[in-house]
Every structure is written in structure tokens, then in C-alpha cells.
Amino acid sequence: MPRTDEAEAFFHAVYSAIQEIPPGKVTSYGHIAKLVGTPQRPRQVGVCLKHLPDSPTFTHHNGNVPWQRVINSKGIISPRGHQSGAANQAQVLRAEEVTVSTGSLGELMVDFSIYGWFPKQLPSEEAAGLTAFSDGEEEDA
DNA sequence: ATATTGACTGACC
DNA sequence: AGGTCAGCCAATA
């Protein structure tokens, strides 16, 4: 649990934002950071999830916060230094019909098409007509 | 109390 | 296209 009130507020904001990610979709740490008004702290978002309680006695816990729907900006499940936790996350995502493929290096990739928001743009920016990475560089479908 | 780590990311080589 | 670096800051050591 957070040690300061300031951190407490941040944790709460992050968990609440994550709860808004619809089932079957994912987003990035960076995007959550933007949503809570601290775009320069995607890392702290990771810290929040790292310390997400298991016990339902907490307001936010792994039973009501869809932690599995947060991946990194590269579109892959963060390996967090090692693979065990990431593999579990992939399993939980697959359980909610999210396609996760394994790359040649063992990376667990999530299809960008199910991003609730693109990693580099907020919904408002998307509405402005940005094309993100659909610029026409596809070589395969 | 000081130092290191790390569920991140974008900017630069 | 792929590695490195500098910010970030709570949690650990």
C-alpha cells in the first residue's frame, strides 16, 4: 500500500482509470498515465499494478481492477524482467477472448486492433482525425 | 537517511 | 531497425 496520501490518491486514480477499460480491450501504461493527468509517469502506473492487492478487503484489488488489460506501448505484455507473470497475464486475457500471440523471442503480443485507445493518442486526438499507424505501411494482413 | 530498482516511454543515436 | 539515455518517483534494500 502507498505510504503517503499523495501516492494514495495517485494509486486510486490509476486503479479507477483501469476499471474503465472495457472487457476485450487493452491500453498502455502511458495512456493510463495521461488519463490520470500525469503523462510523465507511466512507470508509476506499473508500480500501482505491481502492488495491486489480492485481498478483496481493499477497495481496489485484482478482482475488480482489470490489471490484465494494461500492456506496454509496444503492444506486448510487459515481461517485468521475467516471464512468469506475463504468461499468466496472457492467459487471463485469452480467457476474455483477447488474442495473444507469442513472438519468436517469447514476447507476448496483443493485436493493436483491440486497443481501447492507441498508445500515442487520446480519444480526443483520435477524433481529430489522426490515422495512427494505419498510414499504409502494411506488408501483410 | 541514502542508494538502487523497475508491470514505462519517447527522444536520440 | 535496434540499442541507449534521461526523466519519473514509490517501493525496497
Side-chain angles (χ1 to χ4, degrees):
Chain A
M1 57 196 283
R3 328 274 318 239
T4 70
D5 289 344
E6 187 179 343
E8 171 75 47
F10 180 80
F11 272 58
H12 190 284
V14 167
Y15 291 145
S16 295
I18 293 175
Q19 287 179 316
E20 295 177 38
I21 307 174
K25 301 232 175 181
V26 297
T27 193
S28 67
Y29 297 91
H31 189 84
I32 295 299
K34 285 182 184 174
L35 288 180
V36 302
T38 57
Q40 313 202 211
R41 294 186 256 170
R43 254 181 130 149
Q44 297 344 288
V45 174
V47 170
C48 292
L49 290 178
K50 179 179 179 182
H51 297 283
L52 180 63
D54 291 349
S55 170
T57 62
F58 292 88
T59 303
H60 298 291
H61 53 93
N62 61 13
N64 66 8
V65 176
W67 55 273
Q68 71 275 18
R69 298 179 197 147
V70 184
I71 64 178
N72 67 30
S73 68
K74 296 192 285 274
I76 69 181
I77 296 174
S78 282
R80 55 293 234 159
H82 223 283
Q83 177 116 40
S84 53
N88 176 55
Q89 183 172 354
Q91 184 175 316
V92 176
L93 279 174
R94 285 170 175 140
E96 54 183 59
E97 301 179 31
V98 169
T99 299
V100 182
S101 53
T102 304
S104 55
L105 302 176
E107 65 241 48
L108 297 165
M109 311 178 289
V110 177
D111 193 332
F112 273 117
S113 67
I114 66 152
Y115 257 73
W117 307 271
F118 292 116
K120 292 185 180 178
Q121 58 188 65
L122 291 167
S124 58
E125 297 172 318
E126 183 177 0
L130 297 186
T131 54
F133 42 78
S134 336
D135 193 27
E137 71 303 303
E138 283 297 323
E139 40 243 285
D140 185 272

